[in-house]
Amino acid sequence: MIPAYRQSFNRNFTPEKYAAFLRRLDEVCGAHVGFRVCETPCFFSRDLIAKMARAGDELIHQLVDNPAYRKVSDASVPAEFNVPNEDNRPLFIQVDFGLVREAGEIRPKLVELQAFPSLYAYQSTLARAYKDFYGLDAGLDPYLSGLDDDGFRRLLRRAIVGEHAAENVVLMEIDPAEQKTLPDFLLTEKLCGIATVNIRDAVKQGKKLHYRREGRLVPIERIYNRAIVDELVRKQVRLPFDYRDELDVEWAGHPNWYFRISKFSIPHLKHETVPRTWFLDEMGEAPRDRENYLLKPLYSFAGAGIVFAPTDEQLAAIPEGERHQYIVQERVRFEPVIDTPHGMTQAEVRIMYIWLERLTPVAGLVRMGRGKMMGVDHNKNLEWVGGSAALFG
């Protein structure tokens, strides 16, 4: 939170500029951005962002470098979605931190982590749009690890495409044209030269998958996987292949890691940034100060199913055979740190990683809000909230 940048931005902001900014963002993305984009970027000190990046690095290595955790996490992968030929480490990882006040300081506290792609192409574009449209200081940087625009693009393209011809690499999603993340898909297509394929439309022939392009079947050699199992199950999608098949294909982001590094991981972590967390079936006596805890299902998306201050009745209502699929987690009390015309506002910061030769933090995604949580449902009809970009001074 850099006061000079914040004060200058707020002073020069107008609703008309914001409306024009949104129109420009839609043009650059090639589609309407369907989720709420915040009026402002967030101006963070490099020290704070570096602290979060280091903490995320330590948390990820604590899990991936531990053979005992790898064995325990086998239980997190559903049998029907256990994909063969798993990579020995995840390719894309997201670590979400809330900013809290402890001992008079602003410190990061873990909210969640997930080994799954995020909005890499879109987030880079959003940060650049904020800088260019609002004429922000050229010294403000959206990247970590010494990357610039070109370095970030090269790294992301190498992670997605690998050593293959772009024609044989696809971004695979469920009904991609209907997803709010479509702008990211379109920007990824443009950056990498790959096609976006609806997972329903893949064609299996023997051990190979194909997609249709201009009336012909094109072999798929590598999949940038954006399909979320929770959604496959919820929509009862009939797949043209079985995740358990021995397919002749590489995964840019192997699906098993989505489960291995997830809410399932949090009770296994020991770190100053990690709130107290238990599996429900291992918790023993519930905490007395229940208002400071959340009940979370392990496998849900976008905050679905979270219960604040769960009662004894709510805890007892979960069947014995399902209790291992829930965690009870100490609530992260966000400190409002972003000064806006609508009052001080909370920020949740996602550090986005790519792991090729080494684990590399590349950028920060921010969600701003003034509700109980950062999700859309908790911030309806509010301004100066929503998705934003982290710029470092």
Side-chain angles (χ1 to χ4, degrees):
M1 292 65 66
I2 305 175
Y5 288 127
R6 170 54 51 216
Q7 292 160 10
S8 174
F9 187 94
N10 291 7
R11 186 169 55 248
N12 292 305
F13 176 85
T14 67
E16 293 75 22
K17 282 184 182 177
Y18 174 57
F21 166 74
L22 293 180
R23 289 194 296 271
R24 178 58 182 152
L25 184 63
D26 285 353
E27 290 172 8
V28 173
C29 290
H32 175 59
V33 179
F35 44 85
R36 194 180 198 288
V37 179
C38 190
E39 285 80 346
T40 180
C42 295
F43 307 107
F44 293 115
S45 71
R46 279 206 174 270
D47 286 347
L48 180 60
I49 289 295
K51 185 181 293 186
M52 285 187 262
R54 282 195 304 272
D57 184 289
E58 290 164 2
L59 294 170
I60 294 164
H61 276 290
Q62 192 178 125
L63 297 169
V64 176
D65 297 348
N66 183 351
Y69 176 76
R70 180 67 174 267
K71 188 172 182 179
V72 167
S73 69
D74 287 344
S76 72
V77 184
E80 64 272 30
F81 293 104
N82 194 341
V83 179
N85 305 314
E86 183 179 324
D87 299 326
N88 62 5
R89 63 191 185 203
L91 181 56
F92 302 105
I93 314 100
Q94 320 308 319
V95 185
D96 295 348
F97 293 101
L99 297 177
V100 304
R101 186 174 294 279
E102 290 182 342
E105 295 181 2
I106 298 299
R107 295 176 179 172
K109 210 74 170 176
L110 179 70
V111 177
E112 288 187 8
L113 69 173
Q114 195 92 54
F116 195 76
S118 188
L119 306 176
Y120 288 92
Y122 168 79
Q123 203 58 34
S124 169
T125 300
L126 176 64
R128 199 159 55 248
Y130 275 129
K131 286 186 65 177
D132 292 349
F133 188 86
Y134 286 110
L136 300 178
D137 188 336
L140 287 167
D141 188 1
Y143 300 112
L144 295 163
S145 303
L147 295 169
D148 56 13
D149 272 340
D150 288 341
F152 172 80
R153 292 187 192 117
R154 285 195 302 271
L155 181 64
L156 181 59
R157 191 180 192 282
R158 196 155 62 91
I160 293 172
V161 179
E163 302 298 322
H164 300 272
E167 182 185 52
N168 301 116
V169 180
V170 300
L171 185 159
M172 189 171 281
E173 171 62 294
I174 308 157
D175 306 327
E178 299 173 16
Q179 300 285 352
K180 287 186 177 180
T181 46
L182 176 63
D184 181 67
F185 303 161
L186 298 177
L187 291 167
T188 303
E189 288 180 9
K190 189 175 179 180
L191 172 66
C192 297
I194 64 175
T196 297
V197 173
N198 192 331
I199 195 169
R200 302 176 192 265
D201 298 333
V203 177
K204 184 186 176 192
Q205 293 183 343
K207 296 177 69 173
K208 295 284 292 183
L209 293 179
H210 303 75
Y211 70 102
R212 299 185 187 279
R213 187 173 198 170
E214 298 174 351
R216 62 192 178 96
L217 284 179
V218 180
I220 299 173
E221 297 174 359
R222 187 170 171 88
I223 298 172
Y224 180 38
N225 180 47
R226 302 294 291 270
I228 295 171
V229 165
D230 313 49
E231 189 176 357
L232 287 171
V233 173
R234 189 176 70 253
K235 290 185 173 180
Q236 299 182 318
V237 176
R238 295 186 64 180
L239 295 172
F241 63 92
D242 191 308
Y243 269 72
R244 296 165 292 188
D245 291 341
E246 284 277 355
L247 297 171
D248 184 12
V249 70
E250 292 177 4
W251 295 90
H254 194 282
N256 291 1
W257 281 104
Y258 171 80
F259 300 101
R260 292 192 187 278
I261 295 185
S262 64
K263 287 190 283 287
F264 176 89
S265 311
I266 300 174
H268 298 278
L269 288 166
K270 306 295 181 193
H271 195 274
E272 63 183 0
T273 63
V274 178
R276 288 180 291 178
T277 309
W278 305 269
F279 289 107
L280 182 56
D281 64 330
E282 298 177 359
M283 183 173 62
E285 184 181 355
R288 293 175 183 269
D289 54 337
R290 208 69 58 80
E291 70 278 5
N292 293 322
Y293 287 85
L294 306 171
L295 175 67
K296 293 183 177 182
L298 289 183
Y299 307 117
S300 67
F301 194 65
I306 293 178
V307 178
F308 288 81
T311 64
D312 289 340
E313 291 75 21
Q314 287 171 318
L315 294 175
I318 298 172
E320 196 66 36
E322 297 177 15
R323 297 174 78 80
H324 66 288
Q325 296 180 9
Y326 289 79
I327 57 173
V328 175
Q329 184 177 19
E330 185 180 15
R331 186 175 172 186
V332 176
R333 299 281 183 178
F334 288 70
E335 177 78 3
V337 293
I338 309 296
D339 187 9
T340 80
H342 295 266
M344 298 300 289
T345 299
Q346 303 164 356
E348 179 180 285
V349 182
R350 169 172 296 174
I351 303 297
M352 306 163 70
Y353 296 82
I354 296 175
W355 198 342
L356 288 171
E357 291 80 15
R358 64 183 181 88
L359 180 62
T360 304
V362 295
L365 177 158
V366 184
R367 292 198 297 173
M368 290 173 57
R370 291 189 294 278
K372 266 189 174 182
M373 292 175 59
M374 292 297 168
V376 173
D377 289 346
H378 293 272
N379 289 277
K380 284 181 179 176
N381 304 317
L382 298 180
E383 297 178 37
W384 289 65
V385 299
S388 183
L391 299 178
F392 322 130

